[in-house]
Amino acid sequence: MDTKRLYVDFHVLQTVPPSCVNRDDTGSPKTAVYGGAVRARVSSQAWKHAMRVMFTGEMSDAVETGYRTKKGTDLVAKQIKALAPDADAFKLTQEIFKMLKIKADEDGTKALFFLSDAQAKALAKLAVEGCKDKNRYKEALKEAPSADMALFGRMVADDPSLNYDAAAQVAHSISTHTVQNEFDYFTAVDDCAPEDNAGAGHLGTVEYNSATLYRYATVNVLELVRTLGAEQTAQTVRAFGEAFIRSMPTGKQNSFANRTLPDAVYVTLRQDQPVNLSRAFEKPVRKSEEGYAEPSKMALKQYAKELYNTFAEAPEQSFTVGTGLEELAQPMPLNTMLAVLEKAVEEKLSGNEV
């Protein structure tokens, strides 16, 4: 099958109790104005970081991850030492980055640099061999990227030829309804205070809100194929979906214990273009006797059906997890859905020339 375009869209409705998942520079929960109403917001950066933490933790067997760090020079030097214990690893590493015109000193690179283990080893091998060909070092930095590097991209201001275009896009999560931030006034007791001291050892306030969030992400499958190869792509799409659905940013988590899982998940395979369904909530959902989650499911379902009859074709395939979206696709357990999704991507890519 000669597939020219293939996108996997993830739509998630998730209710979060009182929390401060993602703070701004003043410590307040982030918000946005959408449809003329104030919404709770969690930035895409916050959720992508939570996903990468999950990749490196409980999903480390399924996803190969790289390092986004200013200490990339240390990673390469470590590999040089492993190959040639008597070599001057620091000097060789500095020569590599100087040759590549990536600004670095004894403390590391001047900017965060995304590097996979395989790339660090390849650079070290060339240095130990005494290679002086700049192009071979650049090729070493282009080959064998980690899965998270392919998903989230790499930007190298010093040499844009080393960039990777991100195969995944993650939207800022917004509440489906209007929110108003609240304040929690708290005190802390001094355990060693005199018995006749009735005052608190510390007073303070923390701002928070609660919301039903609409979360959206999309993966350009063929971009992943170009970077990782067809064999690894379906597994990476599955891992991305699992991490996006199950992860949670850690802001103020010890104070609020706000770890929840989604109320409903809707996943689509499209061969035309990615489609964000946030327009379903441009008019804020009104509170019902069932709260906000149920009317949010209704709004998402109705808007998707309207959109498929007007501006966009229905998806090639659709999957749902949870209740309330049965009209869009037959619901199934999360692990089953992820396995079916992986198989569907494999079948779409079967025999495909990219």
Side-chain angles (χ1 to χ4, degrees), residues 291-312:
Y292 287 111
E294 292 307 314
S296 295
K297 295 177 189 178
M298 182 65 70
L300 180 69
K301 176 177 61 180
Q302 289 178 345
Y303 178 69
K305 292 166 66 177
E306 291 171 8
L307 191 70
Y308 300 155
N309 287 325
T310 53
F311 292 101

Side-chain angles (χ1 to χ4, degrees), residues 23-226:
R23 288 169 281 176
D24 64 18
D25 58 334
T26 67
S28 301
K30 288 185 177 180
T31 58
V33 175
Y34 182 58
V38 177
R39 314 297 182 100
R41 176 172 66 92
V42 181
S43 73
S44 58
Q45 297 91 331
W47 228 296
K48 283 188 284 189
H49 177 71
M51 292 171 68
R52 290 189 69 239
V53 170
M54 181 170 280
F55 285 161
T56 58
E58 61 191 272
M59 296 178 67
S60 58
D61 291 339
V63 186
E64 181 187 354
T65 55
Y67 304 89
R68 187 167 54 193
T69 177
K70 292 184 178 181
K71 298 296 184 181
T73 51
D74 291 350
L75 298 176
V76 176
K78 180 180 178 181
Q79 295 297 336
I80 291 174
K81 278 291 186 185
L83 291 172
D86 296 330
D88 188 339
F90 173 78
K91 181 180 179 181
L92 288 175
T93 303
Q94 292 298 309
E95 289 175 356
I96 292 172
F97 282 83
K98 183 178 180 181
M99 187 184 305
L100 291 168
K101 296 184 178 179
I102 297 173
K103 297 182 180 68
D105 56 24
E106 62 273 8
D107 295 321
T109 55
K110 297 298 183 182
L112 290 171
F113 190 80
F114 220 155
L115 189 70
S116 70
D117 269 327
Q119 290 171 346
K121 290 176 182 177
L123 291 176
K125 186 173 183 293
L126 289 172
V128 170
E129 292 172 352
C131 177
K132 300 298 181 184
D133 185 348
K134 174 184 176 180
N135 291 327
R136 291 186 64 189
Y137 285 99
K138 292 181 71 169
E139 285 303 315
L141 277 176
K142 291 179 181 179
E143 296 176 354
S146 58
D148 57 344
M149 192 183 299
L151 286 168
F152 302 126
R154 178 173 71 185
M155 197 277 283
V156 185
D158 294 329
D159 188 349
S161 70
L162 299 176
N163 290 356
Y164 286 112
D165 290 331
Q169 298 174 351
V170 180
H172 287 234
S173 305
I174 58 169
S175 64
T176 63
H177 52 89
T178 304
V179 299
Q180 182 176 348
N181 287 350
E182 301 178 72
F183 288 88
D184 174 39
Y185 169 78
F186 67 89
T187 65
V189 176
D190 185 339
D191 292 340
C192 296
E195 292 184 6
D196 60 353
N197 185 343
H202 176 74
L203 307 175
T205 60
V206 61
E207 203 169 351
Y208 68 94
N209 59 36
S210 59
T212 295
L213 300 171
Y214 169 69
R215 302 171 46 218
Y216 170 76
T218 184
V219 177
N220 182 337
V221 176
L222 298 193
E223 186 65 39
L224 265 187
V225 173
R226 280 186 280 272

Side-chain angles (χ1 to χ4, degrees), residues 47 109 142 233 244 248 259 348:
W47 228 296
T109 55
K142 291 179 181 179
T233 291
F244 182 67
M248 173 68 73
R259 281 301 294 255
K348 289 289 185 184

Side-chain angles (χ1 to χ4, degrees), residues 244-298:
F244 182 67
I245 292 166
R246 293 181 52 229
S247 63
M248 173 68 73
T250 56
K252 288 287 183 180
Q253 207 166 97
N254 289 346
S255 298
F256 291 101
N258 53 266
R259 281 301 294 255
T260 62
L261 289 169
D263 300 288
V265 174
Y266 176 44
V267 181
T268 63
L269 269 72
R270 306 191 62 87
Q271 289 188 272
D272 50 2
Q273 67 179 65
V275 178
N276 183 321
L277 298 177
S278 59
R279 173 65 178 80
F281 312 109
E282 195 264 346
K283 179 181 179 181
V285 169
R286 292 185 176 275
K287 181 182 66 175
S288 72
E289 292 181 357
E290 298 167 318
Y292 287 111
E294 292 307 314
S296 295
K297 295 177 189 178
M298 182 65 70

